[in-house]
C-alpha cells in the first residue's frame, strides 16, 4: 500500500517538543518534524501491533467489544501494541492475557496489514501482525474493564459474514478474510 501523504498531514506540532520553539516545521506530509532553532528532528515511524484470531474446536471465533476509543463499541480481535523489547509473539500472548485473562494455544502467524489508528487527535500508522490460536470454548474469560465491555463467540463460515461484522478496524477484516481463505479454503 503506498504512503498516504494527505492522511499524515493531520499530525502537526505547534511547538518543538525539545526547546518549545513555535517555529517547528512539518515535513514530508507529516512524516517528519524539524526545529530550525535547536536541530530537533523526529520521524513518524510505523508502530507494530498484534491481533489474534482465536478459534474454538467448534469453529467459533472470539471477538471483543471495545470499551474505549478509537472505535468504542465496535467488534475487535484480542490484541494491541507491541512494547519495547517485545516480539510480536510475546506481544500477542501478553495482550490476550491482559484482555481476556487466558493464554491462547498453538499460536501461528496468519498475515499482516497496515492500519490507521486515531488516538487523542494523533494519527498513527501501524503494521498489524495477525496470528491464529486455539482456545476451548468453555474457558472462563475475564474482560479487562478499560479495554473490553463484552465477548462474543461467532461462527464465521464465509466472506459475506466477515463483511457484515461491525468491526472497528479494516486490518482485522483483512485478517479474517485471510483466515477464511486459508482455513475454510474459500477463495475471495
Amino acid at each position: 500500500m503506498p504512503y498516504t501523504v494527505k492522511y499524515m498531514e493531520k499530525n502537526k506540532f505547534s511547538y518543538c517538543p525539545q526547546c518549545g520553539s513555535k517555529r517547528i516545521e512539518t515535513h514530508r506530509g507529516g512524516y517528519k518534524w524539524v526545529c530550525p532553532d535547536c536541530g530537533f528532528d523526529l520521524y513518524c515511524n510505523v508502530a507494530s501491533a498484534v491481533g489474534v484470531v482465536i478459534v474454538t474446536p467448534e469453529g467459533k471465533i472470539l471477538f471483543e467489544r471495545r470499551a474505549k476509543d478509537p472505535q468504542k463499541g465496535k467488534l475487535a480481535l484480542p490484541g494491541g501494541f507491541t512494547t519495547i523489547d517485545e516480539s510480536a509473539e510475546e506481544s500477542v500472548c501478553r495482550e490476550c492475557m491482559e484482555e481476556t485473562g487466558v493464554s491462547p494455544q498453538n499460536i501461528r502467524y496468519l498475515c499482516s496489514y497496515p492500519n490507521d489508528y486515531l488516538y487523542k487527535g494523533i494519527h498513527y500508522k501501524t503494521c498489524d501482525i495477525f496470528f491464529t490460536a486455539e482456545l476451548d470454548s468453555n474457558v472462563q474469560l475475564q474482560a479487562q474493564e478499560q479495554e473490553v465491555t463484552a465477548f462474543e463467540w461467532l461462527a464465521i463460515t464465509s466472506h459475506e459474514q466477515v463483511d457484515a461484522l461491525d468491526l472497528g478496524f479494516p486490518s482485522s477484516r483483512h485478517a479474517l478474510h485471510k483466515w477464511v481463505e486459508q482455513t475454510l479454503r474459500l477463495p475471495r
Side-chain angles (χ1 to χ4, degrees), residues 97-112:
M97 178 58 83
E98 288 175 3
E99 294 179 1
T100 69
V102 296
S103 294
Q105 305 299 311
N106 300 319
I107 297 169
R108 288 183 219 102
Y109 174 80
L110 176 63
C111 60
S112 66

Side-chain angles (χ1 to χ4, degrees), residues 41-165:
D41 67 355
L42 174 69
Y43 289 87
C44 183
N45 293 313
V46 172
S48 62
V50 295
V52 60
V53 179
I54 299 176
V55 185
T56 66
E58 299 82 26
K60 291 187 176 180
I61 296 175
L62 176 63
F63 291 92
E64 304 172 340
R65 283 275 173 202
R66 290 186 54 80
K68 65 179 186 178
D69 282 323
Q71 304 300 327
K72 182 177 181 178
K74 300 278 188 174
L75 287 175
L77 296 169
F81 286 96
T82 57
T83 61
I84 295 171
D85 295 328
E86 185 178 55
S87 71
E89 292 83 359
E90 291 168 332
S91 178
V92 80
C93 289
R94 176 188 51 76
E95 283 287 345
C96 192
M97 178 58 83
E98 288 175 3
E99 294 179 1
T100 69
V102 296
S103 294
Q105 305 299 311
N106 300 319
I107 297 169
R108 288 183 219 102
Y109 174 80
L110 176 63
C111 60
S112 66
Y113 287 95
N115 190 27
D116 299 323
Y117 192 87
L118 175 62
Y119 182 69
K120 294 187 177 184
I122 300 293
H123 292 263
Y124 297 91
K125 293 299 236 174
T126 65
C127 179
D128 294 350
I129 305 162
F130 292 93
F131 296 86
T132 60
E134 299 169 1
L135 200 59
D136 195 340
S137 57
N138 63 7
V139 70
Q140 288 288 51
L141 300 172
Q142 174 106 21
Q144 183 182 24
E145 288 181 21
Q146 60 270 41
E147 298 284 336
V148 179
T149 60
F151 295 110
E152 295 183 30
W153 291 101
L154 302 173
I156 304 296
T157 59
S158 70
H159 289 290
E160 293 77 20
Q161 285 179 312
V162 172
D163 289 334
L165 290 170

